[in-house]
């Protein structure tokens, strides 16, 4: 069997949104969405079983979809597709609007709100059959497809995620450095001068107990 044959089935790309009971928002990128009935208007959504958003939809029974357009920023896909809402408040990293408690990207082609009718659990995925209860056609641009993602978009998405990670690391490092104080290990005097401790002359001594610079440590 050649599983790459399945790549010939065309999909779009969407940002899925859901809200926990207390209002915390979560979301992920999905491609496995399609309309499966007209009356009622039913769509199918398939989520990986380890998706946090999936577990929230199981609780809330509703979700939102923002249809992505071709000129979406690569970081939007990285943000929602490369990290889990378990650890990150992904919606804080993008421009979004809350409508009836569910989040939508500000830049999208269409918005769909759906209510779960049925759930089928496979080893790898959970399939939701859901009725569309609200929808808006917001823009007439071109939809981004999963094939576009594989053909030319993926590298930009990976790059934007690496840049974001690096920026986060830098911010963490700076926060750690600014929070840490130099403390005299002999008398517990906390250095609070204007000159950074590292730039003090080698003969600097503790103003309280008189020991040298080497007796200070960062805490
Ligand atoms: C291009 C692309 C398509 C994806 N399609 C799906 C999908 O159809 N269903 C799914 O559950 N996850 C899909 N994912 C993976 C999820 O977006 C990813 O596992 C995400 O981190 C889950 O986040 P969560 O734990 O906050 O739900 C896709 C990811 C990418 C980058």
């Amino acid at each position: 069997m050649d599983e790459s044959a399945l790549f010939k089935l065309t999909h779009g790309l969407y940002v899925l949104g859901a809200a926990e009971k207390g209002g915390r928002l979560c979301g992920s990128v999905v491609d496995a969405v399609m309309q499966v009935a007209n009356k009622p208007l039913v769509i199918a959504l398939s989520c990986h079983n380890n998706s946090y958003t999936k577990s929230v939809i199981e609780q809330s029974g509703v979700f939102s979809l923002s249809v992505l357009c071709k000129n979406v920023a690569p970081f939007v896909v990285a943000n929602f597709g490369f990290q889990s809402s378990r650890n990150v408040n992904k919606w804080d990293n993008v421009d979004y609007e809350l409508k009836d408690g569910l989040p939508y990207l500000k830049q999208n082609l269409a918005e769909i709100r759906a209510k779960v009718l049925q759930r089928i659990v496979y080893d790898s995925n959970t399939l939701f059959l859901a009725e569309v209860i609200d929808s808006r056609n917001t823009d007439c641009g071109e939809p981004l497809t999963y094939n576009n993602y594989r053909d030319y978009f993926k590298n930009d998405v990976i790059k934007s995620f690496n840049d974001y990670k690096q920026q986060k690391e830098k911010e963490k490092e700076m926060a750690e450095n600014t929070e840490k104080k130099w403390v005299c290990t002999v008398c517990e005097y906390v250095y609070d001068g204007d000159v950074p401790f590292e730039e003090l002359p080698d003969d600097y001594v503790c103003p309280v107990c008189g020991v040298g610079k080497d007796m200070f440590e960062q805490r």
Side-chain angles (χ1 to χ4, degrees):
M1 189 162 75
D2 180 358
E3 287 191 8
S4 71
L6 297 167
F7 292 162
K8 302 283 161 64
L9 302 178
T10 51
H11 304 240
L13 274 191
Y14 317 95
V15 168
L16 173 67
E20 291 179 26
K21 254 200 195 129
R24 181 176 175 261
L25 302 175
C26 57
S28 75
V29 166
V30 288
D31 63 282
V33 177
M34 71 182 294
Q35 183 182 343
V36 292
N38 270 331
K39 259 190 183 168
L41 200 49
V42 177
I43 55 174
L45 158 71
S46 174
C47 290
H48 301 158
N49 284 337
N50 60 4
S51 156
Y52 186 78
T53 311
K54 181 225 74 163
S55 59
V56 172
I57 294 171
E58 283 174 333
Q59 303 279 318
S60 67
V62 283
F63 58 85
S64 64
L65 288 167
S66 301
V67 179
L68 297 184
C69 55
K70 277 214 160 96
N71 59 0
V72 66
F75 177 68
V76 170
V77 177
N79 180 49
F80 285 99
F82 288 3
Q83 54 188 350
S84 178
S85 310
R86 257 179 216 95
N87 323 309
V88 183
N89 290 324
K90 301 181 191 183
W91 288 95
D92 290 350
N93 296 335
V94 296
D95 285 335
Y96 75 96
E97 269 177 280
L98 208 57
K99 295 179 184 169
D100 291 325
L102 287 178
Y104 298 86
L105 290 176
K106 270 205 179 144
Q107 192 202 22
N108 64 40
L109 287 187
E111 300 175 353
I112 292 167
R113 179 189 182 92
K115 184 180 86 180
V116 176
L117 300 173
Q118 266 173 278
R119 186 176 71 107
I120 302 167
V121 181
Y122 298 103
D123 286 349
S124 60
N125 285 57
T126 294
L127 180 67
F128 294 105
L129 294 172
E131 183 175 351
V132 175
I133 50 175
D134 198 8
S135 58
R136 285 170 289 276
N137 206 337
T138 50
D139 195 312
C140 56
E142 285 239 2
L144 179 73
T145 68
Y146 195 25
N147 281 347
N148 298 150
Y149 173 78
R150 269 198 308 268
D151 289 348
Y152 65 83
F153 203 57
K154 192 173 176 177
N155 285 344
D156 290 346
V157 173
I158 292 170
K159 186 181 173 309
S160 75
F161 193 62
N162 290 340
D163 292 348
Y164 160 79
K165 281 278 171 208
Q166 264 176 19
Q167 181 62 29
K168 285 268 152 206
E169 278 300 313
K170 253 193 219 159
E171 283 169 14
K172 199 174 147 207
E173 227 171 75
M174 272 168 63
E176 276 170 8
N177 285 343
T178 47
E179 274 164 22
K180 277 193 175 164
K181 301 261 184 237
W182 284 96
V183 182
C184 174
T185 53
V186 175
C187 70
E188 298 293 309
Y189 163 75
V190 179
Y191 175 73
D192 66 351
D194 291 335
V195 179
F197 187 81
E198 293 85 344
E199 290 170 26
L200 289 172
D202 289 344
D203 58 359
Y204 170 83
V205 291
C206 173
V208 178
C209 69
V211 295
K213 226 181 146 183
D214 55 334
M215 295 304 283
F216 279 72
E217 68 179 21
Q218 252 188 325
R219 291 187 197 155

